[in-house]
Amino acid sequence: MTLLLGFTAPASAAGLTQVTNFGANPGGAQMYVYVPDTHPADPAILLALHGCGGTGPGFYSSSEFASLADRYGFIVIYPSAQQEAGFGKCWDTWSSAAKVRGGGSDPVSLVSMISYVEQTYHGDAGRVYVTGSSSGGMMTDEMLTLYPDVFKAGAAYMGVPFGCFADASDYPPGTSKCTGGSMVRTAQQWGDAVRAAYPGYSGPRPPIQLWHGTADTLVPYQLLQEDIKQWTNVFGLSQTPTSTDSPQSGWNRSSFADSSGKVDIEAYSIQGAGHVLPQAGMAAYAVHFFGLDGTSSGGGDTTAPSVPSNLAVTGVTASSASLAWSASTDDVAVTGYRVYRNGVQVGTADGTSFTDTGLSASTPYTYTVAAVDAAGNASARSSGVTATTSSGGSTGSGCTAAYTVTNQWGTGFTADVTVRNNGATASTGWKVSWSWSGNQQISSVWNGVLSAGGSSVTVGNAAYNGSIALGGTTAFGFQAGYSGTNTAPTLTCTTT
């Protein structure tokens, strides 16, 4: 759970300063702070946490947060962990003390560092953020859970849900149930763990950005899905994203917004990446998510971008349509795109792709796209393209199964299948089958058991979710690859 990348420290007169006697320090952590040469009178604060075996100075040198601090004028705290649980010096996310607000260990030490920066450097207590890689990503979830009133937002690279590790003996990856590849809980169970850490808290929860490589074997990619389950439950959101897009090649982003359109969760799947995040450019996306890069007034720019071209439908399911188009150009820079369905804006995209969800089966929808620059100038809308959703649904007896693509990138995707018991009695087991019409191949399944693969697929219930009350539902998901068109299958569902 460590991070070794070839970045170099920023070229600046500023440097790391070690701080001792910063306050309560039950975790014994070391504190280093980076104060850029130029910053406002009340700068924002970013807590940046290294992975196992790393150090604060090491994360300063190997990540891009300090150079971004030089650009945008925020202070970065780079602590060094001193606790061990069989895997080098890591942030304590395993002990009972670290799982309760004010319980002690590293979380209390890290909050003391933040208070020190607020008092010593006049840091803005209303603009405090946290990020981290691997063990630091895990602690990011932890800090947002225990101190939702301290942090405004967080970004976790290769983390796990809060409460994933049972104790110190569960921490080393070789023997851990958490990172062993089979840690599955319900969204309610994950959400309850967060709520129990700070009993009685009813205030706002800080938004979170989650990053994971699809080829990560040390902290399995499946844990991103568990993290999404936890935080969608905490925010009271659906596990189906409100929008998906690809801001860069090989990056798939799923956004989960509330009814007002505010994005509370962003989840990035990085195609083919192992345990190596953040990579170049990813820190800037976290800083943008935090709002630390400011906003551009556009100056005197009145020139609109060019009209997006080559808008095309790249895939459909019974409830979604995926689109892609060629990039627009601008005299300054294109900052995003507006997506319209039947003439009404339904979302935005930073990159040149978008997935519209929540659609009706067997229904045609017409889409157009417009480009926008930093000054708010918008292009004319593109030529329209029509997407007709598939029939979806299921046949069979006793239950129905609904299929939704949740993430899609390059030649890979993840999907959820919701099973509903429509029989006369509660079920004791269920089975969903289908045949692919393309070249899809499943590589992993969660919350279900794959008993037949290839072009003809059968997934049955796991040991813990076969029982479904009459009218009740359960769900399973999977990751797969494909070539050509990723056409949604027709499902057959049966219960026992």
PDB file of all heavy atoms in Angstrom, residues 83-109:
ATOM      1  N   GLN A  83       2.801   4.400  13.031  1.00  0.00           N
ATOM      2  CA  GLN A  83       2.231   3.164  13.567  1.00  0.00           C
ATOM      3  C   GLN A  83       2.372   2.022  12.573  1.00  0.00           C
ATOM      4  O   GLN A  83       2.397   2.233  11.364  1.00  0.00           O
ATOM      5  CB  GLN A  83       0.769   3.378  13.928  1.00  0.00           C
ATOM      6  CG  GLN A  83       0.580   4.519  14.937  1.00  0.00           C
ATOM      7  CD  GLN A  83      -0.702   4.385  15.708  1.00  0.00           C
ATOM      8  OE1 GLN A  83      -0.993   3.353  16.295  1.00  0.00           O
ATOM      9  NE2 GLN A  83      -1.498   5.442  15.704  1.00  0.00           N
ATOM     10  N   GLU A  84       2.448   0.807  13.091  1.00  0.00           N
ATOM     11  CA  GLU A  84       2.639  -0.357  12.242  1.00  0.00           C
ATOM     12  C   GLU A  84       1.622  -1.434  12.575  1.00  0.00           C
ATOM     13  O   GLU A  84       1.208  -1.590  13.716  1.00  0.00           O
ATOM     14  CB  GLU A  84       4.060  -0.919  12.406  1.00  0.00           C
ATOM     15  CG  GLU A  84       5.147   0.077  12.011  1.00  0.00           C
ATOM     16  CD  GLU A  84       6.502  -0.584  11.873  1.00  0.00           C
ATOM     17  OE1 GLU A  84       6.552  -1.753  11.454  1.00  0.00           O
ATOM     18  OE2 GLU A  84       7.516   0.078  12.178  1.00  0.00           O
ATOM     19  N   ALA A  85       1.222  -2.182  11.519  1.00  0.00           N
ATOM     20  CA  ALA A  85       0.342  -3.340  11.695  1.00  0.00           C
ATOM     21  C   ALA A  85       0.749  -4.421  10.699  1.00  0.00           C
ATOM     22  O   ALA A  85      -0.057  -4.925   9.934  1.00  0.00           O
ATOM     23  CB  ALA A  85      -1.123  -2.940  11.495  1.00  0.00           C
ATOM     24  N   GLY A  86       2.030  -4.730  10.690  1.00  0.00           N
ATOM     25  CA  GLY A  86       2.523  -5.795   9.831  1.00  0.00           C
ATOM     26  C   GLY A  86       2.783  -5.386   8.407  1.00  0.00           C
ATOM     27  O   GLY A  86       3.007  -6.243   7.543  1.00  0.00           O
ATOM     28  N   PHE A  87       2.792  -4.087   8.103  1.00  0.00           N
ATOM     29  CA  PHE A  87       3.005  -3.655   6.714  1.00  0.00           C
ATOM     30  C   PHE A  87       3.729  -2.312   6.676  1.00  0.00           C
ATOM     31  O   PHE A  87       3.415  -1.451   5.888  1.00  0.00           O
ATOM     32  CB  PHE A  87       1.660  -3.562   5.991  1.00  0.00           C
ATOM     33  CG  PHE A  87       1.772  -3.645   4.493  1.00  0.00           C
ATOM     34  CD1 PHE A  87       2.178  -4.824   3.874  1.00  0.00           C
ATOM     35  CD2 PHE A  87       1.471  -2.552   3.698  1.00  0.00           C
ATOM     36  CE1 PHE A  87       2.273  -4.907   2.495  1.00  0.00           C
ATOM     37  CE2 PHE A  87       1.562  -2.623   2.313  1.00  0.00           C
ATOM     38  CZ  PHE A  87       1.975  -3.812   1.715  1.00  0.00           C
ATOM     39  N   GLY A  88       4.713  -2.124   7.548  1.00  0.00           N
ATOM     40  CA  GLY A  88       5.417  -0.855   7.587  1.00  0.00           C
ATOM     41  C   GLY A  88       4.609   0.195   8.323  1.00  0.00           C
ATOM     42  O   GLY A  88       3.574  -0.073   8.925  1.00  0.00           O
ATOM     43  N   LYS A  89       5.083   1.421   8.254  1.00  0.00           N
ATOM     44  CA  LYS A  89       4.402   2.524   8.930  1.00  0.00           C
ATOM     45  C   LYS A  89       3.231   3.000   8.075  1.00  0.00           C
ATOM     46  O   LYS A  89       3.413   3.456   6.953  1.00  0.00           O
ATOM     47  CB  LYS A  89       5.390   3.660   9.195  1.00  0.00           C
ATOM     48  CG  LYS A  89       6.465   3.274  10.226  1.00  0.00           C
ATOM     49  CD  LYS A  89       7.429   4.412  10.487  1.00  0.00           C
ATOM     50  CE  LYS A  89       8.459   4.000  11.541  1.00  0.00           C
ATOM     51  NZ  LYS A  89       9.433   5.083  11.816  1.00  0.00           N
ATOM     52  N   CYS A  90       2.027   2.875   8.651  1.00  0.00           N
ATOM     53  CA  CYS A  90       0.784   3.173   7.939  1.00  0.00           C
ATOM     54  C   CYS A  90      -0.117   4.026   8.832  1.00  0.00           C
ATOM     55  O   CYS A  90       0.098   4.124  10.043  1.00  0.00           O
ATOM     56  CB  CYS A  90       0.034   1.885   7.576  1.00  0.00           C
ATOM     57  SG  CYS A  90       1.021   0.633   6.730  1.00  0.00           S
ATOM     58  N   TRP A  91      -1.137   4.596   8.235  1.00  0.00           N
ATOM     59  CA  TRP A  91      -2.132   5.338   9.013  1.00  0.00           C
ATOM     60  C   TRP A  91      -3.094   4.365   9.657  1.00  0.00           C
ATOM     61  O   TRP A  91      -3.606   3.450   8.996  1.00  0.00           O
ATOM     62  CB  TRP A  91      -2.855   6.336   8.121  1.00  0.00           C
ATOM     63  CG  TRP A  91      -1.921   7.365   7.567  1.00  0.00           C
ATOM     64  CD1 TRP A  91      -1.478   7.477   6.301  1.00  0.00           C
ATOM     65  CD2 TRP A  91      -1.283   8.395   8.322  1.00  0.00           C
ATOM     66  NE1 TRP A  91      -0.586   8.513   6.185  1.00  0.00           N
ATOM     67  CE2 TRP A  91      -0.447   9.101   7.412  1.00  0.00           C
ATOM     68  CE3 TRP A  91      -1.320   8.797   9.653  1.00  0.00           C
ATOM     69  CZ2 TRP A  91       0.333  10.182   7.815  1.00  0.00           C
ATOM     70  CZ3 TRP A  91      -0.542   9.875  10.049  1.00  0.00           C
ATOM     71  CH2 TRP A  91       0.264  10.554   9.142  1.00  0.00           C
ATOM     72  N   ASP A  92      -3.341   4.561  10.936  1.00  0.00           N
ATOM     73  CA  ASP A  92      -4.173   3.636  11.710  1.00  0.00           C
ATOM     74  C   ASP A  92      -5.644   3.776  11.318  1.00  0.00           C
ATOM     75  O   ASP A  92      -6.332   4.687  11.771  1.00  0.00           O
ATOM     76  CB  ASP A  92      -3.991   3.908  13.209  1.00  0.00           C
ATOM     77  CG  ASP A  92      -4.891   3.033  14.074  1.00  0.00           C
ATOM     78  OD1 ASP A  92      -5.515   2.091  13.532  1.00  0.00           O
ATOM     79  OD2 ASP A  92      -4.971   3.300  15.292  1.00  0.00           O
ATOM     80  N   THR A  93      -6.117   2.821  10.508  1.00  0.00           N
ATOM     81  CA  THR A  93      -7.541   2.719  10.185  1.00  0.00           C
ATOM     82  C   THR A  93      -8.117   1.412  10.707  1.00  0.00           C
ATOM     83  O   THR A  93      -9.192   1.003  10.276  1.00  0.00           O
ATOM     84  CB  THR A  93      -7.767   2.817   8.661  1.00  0.00           C
ATOM     85  OG1 THR A  93      -6.975   1.811   8.005  1.00  0.00           O
ATOM     86  CG2 THR A  93      -7.370   4.179   8.135  1.00  0.00           C
ATOM     87  N   TRP A  94      -7.392   0.769  11.615  1.00  0.00           N
ATOM     88  CA  TRP A  94      -7.797  -0.555  12.085  1.00  0.00           C
ATOM     89  C   TRP A  94      -8.211  -0.592  13.556  1.00  0.00           C
ATOM     90  O   TRP A  94      -9.025  -1.415  13.941  1.00  0.00           O
ATOM     91  CB  TRP A  94      -6.658  -1.547  11.844  1.00  0.00           C
ATOM     92  CG  TRP A  94      -5.359  -1.148  12.514  1.00  0.00           C
ATOM     93  CD1 TRP A  94      -5.025  -1.294  13.829  1.00  0.00           C
ATOM     94  CD2 TRP A  94      -4.243  -0.504  11.888  1.00  0.00           C
ATOM     95  NE1 TRP A  94      -3.774  -0.779  14.080  1.00  0.00           N
ATOM     96  CE2 TRP A  94      -3.263  -0.300  12.903  1.00  0.00           C
ATOM     97  CE3 TRP A  94      -3.969  -0.090  10.592  1.00  0.00           C
ATOM     98  CZ2 TRP A  94      -2.031   0.307  12.640  1.00  0.00           C
ATOM     99  CZ3 TRP A  94      -2.738   0.512  10.332  1.00  0.00           C
ATOM    100  CH2 TRP A  94      -1.794   0.707  11.338  1.00  0.00           C
ATOM    101  N   SER A  95      -7.661   0.281  14.390  1.00  0.00           N
ATOM    102  CA  SER A  95      -7.914   0.156  15.835  1.00  0.00           C
ATOM    103  C   SER A  95      -9.291   0.696  16.205  1.00  0.00           C
ATOM    104  O   SER A  95      -9.869   1.528  15.497  1.00  0.00           O
ATOM    105  CB  SER A  95      -6.838   0.909  16.623  1.00  0.00           C
ATOM    106  OG  SER A  95      -7.034   2.310  16.546  1.00  0.00           O
ATOM    107  N   SER A  96      -9.797   0.253  17.343  1.00  0.00           N
ATOM    108  CA  SER A  96     -11.091   0.749  17.821  1.00  0.00           C
ATOM    109  C   SER A  96     -11.010   2.231  18.157  1.00  0.00           C
ATOM    110  O   SER A  96     -11.972   2.977  17.972  1.00  0.00           O
ATOM    111  CB  SER A  96     -11.540  -0.049  19.051  1.00  0.00           C
ATOM    112  OG  SER A  96     -10.556   0.004  20.084  1.00  0.00           O
ATOM    113  N   ALA A  97      -9.838   2.706  18.616  1.00  0.00           N
ATOM    114  CA  ALA A  97      -9.675   4.126  18.945  1.00  0.00           C
ATOM    115  C   ALA A  97      -9.809   4.999  17.704  1.00  0.00           C
ATOM    116  O   ALA A  97     -10.311   6.127  17.770  1.00  0.00           O
ATOM    117  CB  ALA A  97      -8.317   4.355  19.597  1.00  0.00           C
ATOM    118  N   ALA A  98      -9.372   4.468  16.556  1.00  0.00           N
ATOM    119  CA  ALA A  98      -9.386   5.251  15.323  1.00  0.00           C
ATOM    120  C   ALA A  98     -10.747   5.240  14.630  1.00  0.00           C
ATOM    121  O   ALA A  98     -10.916   5.909  13.615  1.00  0.00           O
ATOM    122  CB  ALA A  98      -8.329   4.714  14.357  1.00  0.00           C
ATOM    123  N   LYS A  99     -11.696   4.503  15.164  1.00  0.00           N
ATOM    124  CA  LYS A  99     -12.994   4.365  14.497  1.00  0.00           C
ATOM    125  C   LYS A  99     -14.108   5.151  15.181  1.00  0.00           C
ATOM    126  O   LYS A  99     -15.275   5.024  14.795  1.00  0.00           O
ATOM    127  CB  LYS A  99     -13.379   2.882  14.420  1.00  0.00           C
ATOM    128  CG  LYS A  99     -12.448   2.063  13.538  1.00  0.00           C
ATOM    129  CD  LYS A  99     -12.800   0.582  13.573  1.00  0.00           C
ATOM    130  CE  LYS A  99     -11.808  -0.230  12.759  1.00  0.00           C
ATOM    131  NZ  LYS A  99     -12.056  -1.684  12.862  1.00  0.00           N
ATOM    132  N   VAL A 100     -13.747   5.962  16.179  1.00  0.00           N
ATOM    133  CA  VAL A 100     -14.735   6.774  16.887  1.00  0.00           C
ATOM    134  C   VAL A 100     -14.204   8.199  16.980  1.00  0.00           C
ATOM    135  O   VAL A 100     -13.017   8.401  17.273  1.00  0.00           O
ATOM    136  CB  VAL A 100     -15.014   6.223  18.301  1.00  0.00           C
ATOM    137  CG1 VAL A 100     -16.034   7.099  19.017  1.00  0.00           C
ATOM    138  CG2 VAL A 100     -15.500   4.792  18.227  1.00  0.00           C
ATOM    139  N   ARG A 101     -15.038   9.156  16.753  1.00  0.00           N
ATOM    140  CA  ARG A 101     -14.621  10.554  16.836  1.00  0.00           C
ATOM    141  C   ARG A 101     -14.018  10.850  18.211  1.00  0.00           C
ATOM    142  O   ARG A 101     -14.610  10.549  19.248  1.00  0.00           O
ATOM    143  CB  ARG A 101     -15.815  11.466  16.589  1.00  0.00           C
ATOM    144  CG  ARG A 101     -15.480  12.968  16.693  1.00  0.00           C
ATOM    145  CD  ARG A 101     -16.746  13.776  16.545  1.00  0.00           C
ATOM    146  NE  ARG A 101     -16.543  15.192  16.759  1.00  0.00           N
ATOM    147  CZ  ARG A 101     -16.253  16.084  15.813  1.00  0.00           C
ATOM    148  NH1 ARG A 101     -16.127  15.687  14.559  1.00  0.00           N
ATOM    149  NH2 ARG A 101     -16.113  17.362  16.085  1.00  0.00           N
ATOM    150  N   GLY A 102     -12.819  11.416  18.206  1.00  0.00           N
ATOM    151  CA  GLY A 102     -12.155  11.764  19.457  1.00  0.00           C
ATOM    152  C   GLY A 102     -11.620  10.577  20.215  1.00  0.00           C
ATOM    153  O   GLY A 102     -11.192  10.727  21.364  1.00  0.00           O
ATOM    154  N   GLY A 103     -11.600   9.381  19.572  1.00  0.00           N
ATOM    155  CA  GLY A 103     -11.177   8.175  20.279  1.00  0.00           C
ATOM    156  C   GLY A 103      -9.691   8.076  20.505  1.00  0.00           C
ATOM    157  O   GLY A 103      -9.233   7.308  21.342  1.00  0.00           O
ATOM    158  N   GLY A 104      -8.911   8.826  19.730  1.00  0.00           N
ATOM    159  CA  GLY A 104      -7.466   8.781  19.882  1.00  0.00           C
ATOM    160  C   GLY A 104      -6.790   8.347  18.605  1.00  0.00           C
ATOM    161  O   GLY A 104      -7.361   8.405  17.511  1.00  0.00           O
ATOM    162  N   SER A 105      -5.520   7.921  18.718  1.00  0.00           N
ATOM    163  CA  SER A 105      -4.708   7.440  17.611  1.00  0.00           C
ATOM    164  C   SER A 105      -4.525   8.526  16.550  1.00  0.00           C
ATOM    165  O   SER A 105      -4.623   9.723  16.832  1.00  0.00           O
ATOM    166  CB  SER A 105      -5.304   6.163  17.030  1.00  0.00           C
ATOM    167  OG  SER A 105      -4.359   5.514  16.188  1.00  0.00           O
ATOM    168  N   ASP A 106      -4.226   8.118  15.305  1.00  0.00           N
ATOM    169  CA  ASP A 106      -3.857   9.064  14.255  1.00  0.00           C
ATOM    170  C   ASP A 106      -4.910  10.119  13.937  1.00  0.00           C
ATOM    171  O   ASP A 106      -4.551  11.280  13.675  1.00  0.00           O
ATOM    172  CB  ASP A 106      -3.496   8.298  12.983  1.00  0.00           C
ATOM    173  CG  ASP A 106      -2.141   7.608  13.079  1.00  0.00           C
ATOM    174  OD1 ASP A 106      -1.294   8.058  13.865  1.00  0.00           O
ATOM    175  OD2 ASP A 106      -1.944   6.599  12.367  1.00  0.00           O
ATOM    176  N   PRO A 107      -6.213   9.794  13.906  1.00  0.00           N
ATOM    177  CA  PRO A 107      -7.178  10.848  13.573  1.00  0.00           C
ATOM    178  C   PRO A 107      -7.086  12.070  14.491  1.00  0.00           C
ATOM    179  O   PRO A 107      -7.166  13.211  14.016  1.00  0.00           O
ATOM    180  CB  PRO A 107      -8.531  10.140  13.705  1.00  0.00           C
ATOM    181  CG  PRO A 107      -8.234   8.721  13.366  1.00  0.00           C
ATOM    182  CD  PRO A 107      -6.882   8.469  13.980  1.00  0.00           C
ATOM    183  N   VAL A 108      -6.893  11.860  15.776  1.00  0.00           N
ATOM    184  CA  VAL A 108      -6.775  12.991  16.703  1.00  0.00           C
ATOM    185  C   VAL A 108      -5.495  13.769  16.414  1.00  0.00           C
ATOM    186  O   VAL A 108      -5.479  15.008  16.435  1.00  0.00           O
ATOM    187  CB  VAL A 108      -6.809  12.501  18.159  1.00  0.00           C
ATOM    188  CG1 VAL A 108      -6.435  13.624  19.120  1.00  0.00           C
ATOM    189  CG2 VAL A 108      -8.197  11.952  18.499  1.00  0.00           C
ATOM    190  N   SER A 109      -4.395  13.057  16.112  1.00  0.00           N
ATOM    191  CA  SER A 109      -3.136  13.734  15.787  1.00  0.00           C
ATOM    192  C   SER A 109      -3.301  14.616  14.560  1.00  0.00           C
ATOM    193  O   SER A 109      -2.808  15.757  14.525  1.00  0.00           O
ATOM    194  CB  SER A 109      -2.041  12.690  15.525  1.00  0.00           C
ATOM    195  OG  SER A 109      -1.805  11.902  16.672  1.00  0.00           O
TER     196      SER A 109
END
